[in-house]
Amino acid sequence: MTATATTPDATVTPATTTGPTPARSRTVPAWVWALPPVAVLALAFLYPLALVVQQSVTPDDGGGVSLDPYADVFASEVFRDALTTTVWLAVGSTVGCLVLGFVLALVIAFVPFPGGKAVARFVDVFLSFPSFLITLALLFIYGSVGMANGLWTDVTGAADGPFHFLTTPWGVLLAEITYFTPFVMRPLLAAFSQLDTGQLEVASSLGAGPLRIIRQVILPEALPALAAGGSLVLVMCLNEFGIVLFTGAKDVTTLPMLVYSKAILESDYPAACVVAVVNIAISVGLYSLYRVVSRRAGA
C-alpha cells in the first residue's frame, strides 16, 4: 500500500492591521534659528553703525540729510594729512612686519637652538598682549627719561640723551612693527611646520646654498601665509589707536586719532562720523581682501 502526502499550494499571508497614520513631526524652519543671532548682531553692531552713518549726513545746523559734512571733511587739509599718515604708517608697518616676521620665523623653524620651542610658544602668548603694554615698554627703554637716555647721560655726562624718536612717526612705526610682527610669524610658523624637510635636503644635496633654498623652496611655500598675515596686519594698523596715543606723538594724526579729536575735543560729531565712515569703508575693503587671501591660503 502506498501512502501519498499532499502539500498545500496556498501561501499564508500575514494579516495587516490598519489604523490612524501618526502625525508628521513639525520641523522649525531654518530661518527661525537665524533670527536670534541676527537680532543680536543688528542691535549690538548694525544699529550703532547706522547711527554713525546717519549722523555723518546730518549737519549740526539742521536742514535734513546733506552731504555737506563729507564735502567739508574731504576739503580739510587735516583730514588729507591724517589719511596720508594712516596709509603710510599702515603700509610701512606691514612691510616691516613681513620682513622681520619672515626672518624670525625662519630662525625659529629651521635653526636649532636651545629654547626654540619655548620661543615659538611665547609668540602665541604675545598675541594676547594689549598694544599699549608694548608701547609702555618702549617708553621705559627709549623714552625721554628711559633706560637708553639714562645710560647715555651717565656715561657721557650730557644733560640729555639722544633718543627722542618715540614721539615722532618713526617711534609709532617702531611700536607697531614690534607689536604686530607676531601676527605675521604665527601663520608662517604654521606653514613651515607643514613643509617637507626632504625638499630642503634634496636642494642642499644638489649644491643649493641657504639663500637659494630660501628663495626657491621656502619662500614659495610661505607666500600664502605671508599674504594672509600681511593683510591682517594692514587692517589692524589702519585702526590702531592705543599705540599712537601712548607714544605721545602729538604731531602724528591718524584717522582713529582724528575721530577722537573731532568727537571728544571739538564736539564736532558730524565730522567725526564722516571720518569714522571713511575708516570703516577702508577697513571693510581690506578685511574682504584678507578673507579672500586667507581662503586661498587655506587659513
Side-chain angles (χ1 to χ4, degrees), residues 1-296:
M1 176 179 290
T2 304
T4 60
T6 59
T7 303
D9 296 332
T11 58
V12 179
T13 57
T16 58
T17 60
T18 58
T21 304
R24 181 180 298 178
S25 60
R26 295 181 180 180
T27 58
V28 180
W31 60 268
V32 174
W33 297 106
L35 287 179
V38 170
V40 173
L41 179 65
L43 183 62
F45 299 101
L46 299 183
Y47 179 66
L49 179 60
L51 291 180
V52 171
V53 175
Q54 180 185 8
Q55 185 66 46
S56 69
V57 293
T58 306
D60 286 334
D61 55 2
V65 177
S66 174
L67 294 179
D68 290 341
Y70 283 87
D72 295 339
V73 169
F74 291 166
S76 171
E77 184 178 355
V78 175
F79 170 76
R80 294 195 297 269
D81 291 342
L83 180 61
T84 303
T85 302
T86 302
V87 172
W88 88 257
L89 277 176
V91 173
S93 300
T94 302
V95 173
C97 290
L98 289 175
V99 175
L100 182 60
F102 183 72
V103 173
L104 293 179
L106 277 177
V107 173
I108 294 175
F110 299 109
V111 179
F113 64 93
K117 292 183 179 180
V119 173
R121 294 191 185 98
F122 178 74
V123 172
D124 295 335
V125 177
F126 191 92
L127 299 179
S128 64
F129 289 174
S131 59
F132 69 84
L133 181 63
I134 306 303
T135 309
L136 286 177
L138 291 177
L139 286 173
F140 288 145
I141 299 175
Y142 299 109
S144 299
V145 292
M147 296 170 55
N149 284 321
L151 182 62
W152 178 271
T153 55
D154 291 341
V155 172
T156 62
D160 196 8
F163 304 105
H164 301 284
F165 63 90
L166 279 183
T167 57
T168 68
W170 301 108
V172 177
L173 189 68
L174 174 64
E176 290 189 351
I177 291 175
T178 303
Y179 178 69
F180 289 113
T181 293
F183 289 86
V184 174
M185 294 176 60
R186 188 63 190 90
L188 280 175
L189 291 174
F192 290 159
S193 65
Q194 302 295 326
L195 184 63
D196 185 7
T197 56
Q199 300 180 27
L200 306 181
E201 296 174 357
V202 171
S204 179
S205 64
L206 293 176
L211 293 180
R212 187 175 180 182
I213 292 176
I214 293 174
R215 185 176 65 255
Q216 296 185 355
V217 180
I218 298 178
L219 185 58
E221 297 292 333
L223 282 178
L226 279 172
S231 301
L232 178 60
V233 169
L234 183 61
V235 173
M236 298 176 70
C237 288
L238 282 172
N239 298 284
E240 182 54 42
F241 176 78
I243 287 179
V244 183
L245 183 65
F246 275 83
T247 54
K250 298 180 180 179
D251 296 331
V252 180
T253 302
T254 60
L255 291 180
M257 287 295 297
L258 187 59
V259 173
Y260 172 80
S261 176
K262 291 292 184 182
I264 304 302
L265 302 181
E266 302 177 19
S267 298
D268 189 355
Y269 296 108
C273 291
V274 169
V275 179
V277 169
V278 173
N279 201 6
I280 291 171
I282 297 175
S283 300
V284 170
L286 289 176
Y287 179 74
S288 301
L289 175 63
Y290 162 70
R291 292 299 301 171
V292 171
V293 172
S294 298
R295 191 179 302 112
R296 292 185 178 181

